[in-house]
Amino acid sequence: MILELAEQHDVEQIIFCSDASVGLKAMIVIHDSTFGPAAGGTRLMAYPSEVAALEDAIRLAKGMTRKCTLARSGTGGAKAVIMAAPEDKTEAMLRAYARFVERLGGGAFLTGNDVNISFEDLQILADETQYILGASESLGPSAPVTAHGVFSAMQACLERVNGSAQFDGVTVAIQGMGSVGYELGKAVYSAGGRLIVTDIDSAACRRAEDEFGAVTVPGDAIYASEADIFAPCALGAVLNSSTIPRLNSKIVCGAANNQLLTEEDGDALHERGILYAPDYVVNAGGAIYVRIQRENPQAALADLMQGAEEIYATLLHILNESEQRHQPTHRVADQIADEWLSAEKIRQRSP
């Protein structure tokens, strides 16, 4: 079953990590290393089964390959999952995991933070392996860079739909006010936009109310909220046959990974006339962070933020191609990424 999944999704390598003494059970999926060492975040979640964890890691790693390809990051795609509830996370567990990353050798896998892995956790990991990115105290966490990339993508969407990238009079409904959602809300508010927010953490919503004048709505009410942009910034699979009919927005553009439950859900958005900005294009700020940090160890935060603005042009290219090819944006983004990847593989095989 494992090899069938790997073959089905063109996975290069799956590494299983176990250390019972610290409760560590983890998987590292290296999807593709054509453009360089495989890069992808590490997330920590209590999965219902090992199969569910593996399937999630494979889907995320495949998305990272396409993300890194379109972001021209000079890396391939990978992802890692640690199977544990957040309350069971310990420093010993993180250190044991980091030693597995180090033992892969040669920087075959470069990792950073994802769900339930904080900036402070990254600094613990960096004590044990040199292959951690995004733990620089001088540059800080990647959330502001990722959020700036999402904001730039929103500008491209507004340009296409409204004819202007301005946020004056624009309402954005953000689902998930974690580190990226908060930074995105700050950017929208500073640009003159209005905010509707929701989060399972009521304190995060109160913070958005106090700082940005946001309106908080209960969880599922966010889908039907009247807004120009719906921004999923929590977990994936939120765009599905149940939620899409309720959407009351012209644009979907957010930071969450794997927002579509199925490819057909992207088609459904297209059929409804809702502009969908493919998630792995929109949230590529972290991949750009990696590229700039590797190319220029002396880079400043301003360099990272400027780099994230490349997402504006990348997304506009995809939107233009979508119109020319008469296909939904998510399918066109996949096609372009896969075309670039295939061309590079052919180039490398040529004498």
Side-chain angles (χ1 to χ4, degrees):
M1 179 265 182
I2 293 173
L3 291 178
E4 289 176 0
L5 270 175
E7 184 177 359
Q8 179 184 348
H9 295 282
D10 297 320
V11 171
E12 289 183 5
Q13 192 174 7
I14 301 173
I15 300 97
F16 297 92
C17 312
S18 176
D19 187 338
S21 68
V22 294
L24 174 68
K25 293 174 67 176
M27 301 176 188
I28 300 170
V29 175
I30 296 177
H31 178 260
D32 191 278
S33 57
T34 300
F35 283 106
T42 295
R43 67 170 45 185
L44 183 145
M45 289 180 61
Y47 288 93
S49 68
E50 293 177 1
V51 171
L54 179 59
E55 289 177 339
D56 192 34
I58 288 175
R59 284 194 297 269
L60 291 164
K62 188 172 184 178
M64 281 300 302
T65 294
R66 287 169 168 162
K67 178 189 298 187
C68 292
T69 298
L70 291 179
R72 301 173 179 85
S73 67
T75 61
K79 208 72 174 184
V81 296
I82 298 175
M83 291 171 280
E87 59 268 23
D88 294 330
K89 178 176 63 177
T90 64
E91 181 175 330
M93 179 190 293
L94 293 174
R95 290 186 180 280
Y97 165 71
R99 289 192 289 271
F100 277 103
V101 174
E102 179 68 21
R103 284 197 294 269
L104 288 176
F109 174 52
L110 309 174
T111 192
N113 69 304
D114 202 293
V115 176
N116 294 323
I117 296 292
S118 67
F119 181 65
E120 292 73 24
D121 292 335
L122 285 187
Q123 293 177 310
I124 293 172
L125 297 176
D127 284 343
E128 302 290 341
T129 176
Q130 60 190 300
Y131 304 121
I132 300 298
L133 296 167
S136 166
E137 291 188 5
S138 61
L139 293 176
S142 61
V145 182
T146 300
H148 192 59
V150 177
F151 181 78
S152 297
M154 286 182 174
Q155 289 180 308
C157 292
L158 289 172
E159 179 72 36
R160 174 54 58 90
V161 172
N162 293 345
S164 169
Q166 300 302 310
F167 277 80
D168 291 333
V170 169
T171 299
V172 179
I174 301 180
Q175 180 188 50
M177 291 303 294
S179 54
V180 174
Y182 170 78
E183 295 290 343
L184 178 61
K186 182 195 297 184
V188 170
Y189 174 71
S190 297
R194 296 187 295 265
L195 292 168
I196 302 170
V197 303
T198 194
D199 195 289
I200 57 173
D201 182 358
S202 59
C205 292
R206 287 195 299 272
R207 183 185 186 189
E209 292 171 5
D210 294 341
E211 296 186 20
F212 312 137
V215 174
T216 297
V217 297
D220 276 2
I222 196 75
Y223 299 110
S225 296
E226 188 173 348
D228 298 279
I229 303 174
F230 170 55
C233 294
L235 296 178
V238 297
L239 299 172
N240 52 58
S241 59
S242 171
T243 61
I244 290 172
R246 288 184 273 162
L247 287 179
N248 199 12
S249 303
K250 296 177 289 186
I251 297 165
V252 175
C253 180
N257 286 312
N258 292 344
Q259 294 169 23
L260 300 172
L261 179 61
T262 69
E263 292 292 303
E264 290 70 27
D265 293 313
D267 298 337
L269 288 169
H270 183 72
E271 290 165 5
R272 281 202 56 196
I274 298 172
L275 178 62
Y276 172 61
D279 49 35
Y280 62 80
V281 178
V282 171
N283 63 21
I288 293 170
Y289 185 123
V290 168
R291 185 194 77 208
I292 294 174
Q293 187 180 20
R294 293 177 70 225
E295 290 176 349
N296 179 16
Q298 307 305 316
L301 179 59
D303 299 314
L304 303 181
M305 300 296 268
Q306 183 177 359
E309 292 171 5
E310 298 170 9
I311 293 171
Y312 177 92
T314 301
L315 182 56
L316 274 184
H317 173 63
I318 289 167
L319 299 182
N320 290 335
E321 286 294 308
S322 173
E323 186 174 350
Q324 293 177 12
R325 300 186 190 193
H326 304 289
Q327 294 182 43
T329 53
H330 69 295
R331 295 193 182 275
V332 170
D334 289 353
Q335 290 165 14
I336 294 173
D338 293 347
E339 288 163 6
W340 290 5
L341 185 62
S342 295
E344 178 61 17
K345 288 182 176 180
I346 292 171
R347 188 194 69 79
Q348 290 183 10
R349 289 196 294 265
S350 298

